[in-house]
């Protein structure tokens, strides 16, 4: 049951991080393929993976192409029901799906203004009002999940689930831009920053070489916290 997983540059590709975590955190076997997302060769690299045009994408052992993070998530949950990708409780599972879908389709200001980068922290970044509104909504969703279903563990629904997969890059954006969030949200962000899987991802990311930094800002940099 070996899958093929196609991802982009680890330093910057938030969706690739999500795709990788779906396999890595739930023990689904895969082979990893790096696509030229920031090298400008993405279309060429993915020419034989139609309908996929972006990363992450995956190919099942039978050769079926999964061209979107949601299709990957649902297919893996369907094919590996014992891996725990979704919470087992029906109410928790319904809320987790709501959170995942809202992340997949929403929070445009956060995603547009605060592109994910995990090499350093921008010092002195001031979040515009639309980003603050996104953060307010995210904190509301995180608090609801934790209050209703998070008593048995450190993650949104206690045990690690696809909800945490989809919000992992949000934790990186909060960190990388020093965004203002509550102490409860900071604690959840630190769970991601200290997660062994993410630490492996970042260690590989720091080996990448980029001629130019794609999301440069006229701000000083300080060290990543972990």
């Amino acid at each position: 049951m070996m899958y093929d997983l196609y991802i982009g540059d680890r330093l910057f590709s938030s969706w690739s991080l999500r795709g990788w975590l779906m396999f890595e955190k739930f023990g689904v076997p895969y082979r990893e393929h790096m696509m030229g997302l920031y090298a400008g060769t993405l279309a060429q690299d993915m020419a034989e993976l139609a309908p996929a045009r972006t990363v992450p994408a995956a190919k099942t052992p039978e050769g079926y192409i999964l061209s979107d993070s949601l299709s990957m998530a649902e297919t893996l949950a369907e094919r590996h029901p014992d891996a725990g990708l979704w919470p087992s409780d029906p109410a928790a599972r319904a809320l987790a799906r709501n959170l995942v879908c809202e992340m997949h389709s929403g929070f445009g200001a956060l995603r547009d203004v605060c592109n994910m980068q995990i090499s350093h922290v921008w010092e002195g970044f001031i979040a515009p009002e639309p980003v603050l509104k996104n953060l307010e909504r995210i904190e509301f969703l995180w608090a609801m999940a934790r209050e209703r279903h998070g008593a048995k563990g450190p993650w949104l629904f206690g045990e690690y689930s696809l909800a945490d997969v989809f919000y992992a890059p949000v934790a990186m954006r909060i960190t990388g831009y020093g965004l203002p969030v509550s102490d409860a949200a900071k604690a959840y962000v630190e769970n991601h920053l200290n997660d062994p899987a993410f630490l492996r991802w970042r260690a590989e990311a720091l080996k990448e070489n980029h001629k130019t930094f794609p999301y440069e800002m006229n701000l000083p940099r300080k060290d990543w916290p972990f």
Side-chain angles (χ1 to χ4, degrees):
M1 292 290 288
M2 184 70 70
Y3 295 78
D4 288 282
L5 172 65
Y6 303 87
I7 62 172
D9 309 61
R10 288 180 173 86
L11 272 176
F12 310 113
S13 181
S14 59
W15 289 105
S16 292
L17 174 58
R18 291 182 177 97
W20 184 81
L21 287 170
M22 291 181 203
F23 289 87
E24 187 72 16
K25 291 292 290 185
F26 300 101
V28 179
Y30 67 98
R31 290 180 292 259
E32 182 180 294
H33 306 271
M34 183 64 67
M35 303 286 101
L37 179 59
Y38 288 85
T41 61
L42 185 64
Q44 174 185 333
D45 293 345
M46 302 193 73
E48 297 182 4
L49 295 172
R53 297 185 301 169
T54 58
V55 287
K59 183 188 295 183
T60 71
E62 300 84 359
Y64 309 143
I65 300 299
L66 306 173
S67 63
D68 181 86
S69 56
L70 275 183
S71 67
M72 290 169 57
E74 289 293 0
T75 300
L76 292 179
E78 176 183 72
R79 293 168 65 103
H80 303 275
D82 297 328
L85 280 85
W86 290 119
S88 58
D89 175 75
R93 189 162 60 250
L95 183 56
R97 282 193 166 110
N98 287 339
L99 265 65
V100 164
C101 288
E102 187 161 347
M103 180 66 256
H104 187 269
S105 62
F107 307 119
L110 177 65
R111 288 154 64 172
D112 291 344
V113 176
C114 302
N115 296 284
M116 192 187 86
Q117 61 80 24
I118 56 174
S119 66
H120 59 271
V121 176
W122 293 116
E123 193 168 16
F125 177 79
I126 299 175
E129 187 63 25
V131 171
L132 296 177
K133 289 291 186 184
N134 280 182
L135 291 172
E136 182 180 354
R137 175 64 180 174
I138 288 167
E139 287 212 53
F140 170 79
L141 295 173
W142 288 0
M144 176 180 287
R146 293 288 300 146
E147 289 167 6
R148 293 184 180 180
H149 305 288
K152 295 184 179 180
W155 300 102
L156 291 177
F157 294 86
E159 297 294 325
Y160 195 92
S161 75
L162 284 169
D164 303 295
V165 165
F166 273 74
Y167 283 90
V170 173
M172 306 314 147
R173 287 176 160 98
I174 290 171
T175 303
Y177 292 81
L179 298 177
V181 293
S182 67
D183 289 344
K186 288 178 183 177
Y188 175 65
V189 166
E190 289 191 8
N191 292 339
H192 284 286
L193 297 180
N194 286 296
D195 180 52
F198 172 69
L199 292 174
R200 291 195 299 275
W201 172 275
R202 186 167 184 268
E204 290 300 311
L206 293 176
K207 298 176 184 178
E208 296 176 1
N209 293 310
H210 296 273
K211 292 181 180 179
T212 60
F213 194 86
Y215 306 120
E216 192 62 71
M217 304 190 78
N218 188 26
L219 290 172
R221 303 181 181 194
K222 62 181 180 180
D223 291 341
W224 192 260
F226 294 100

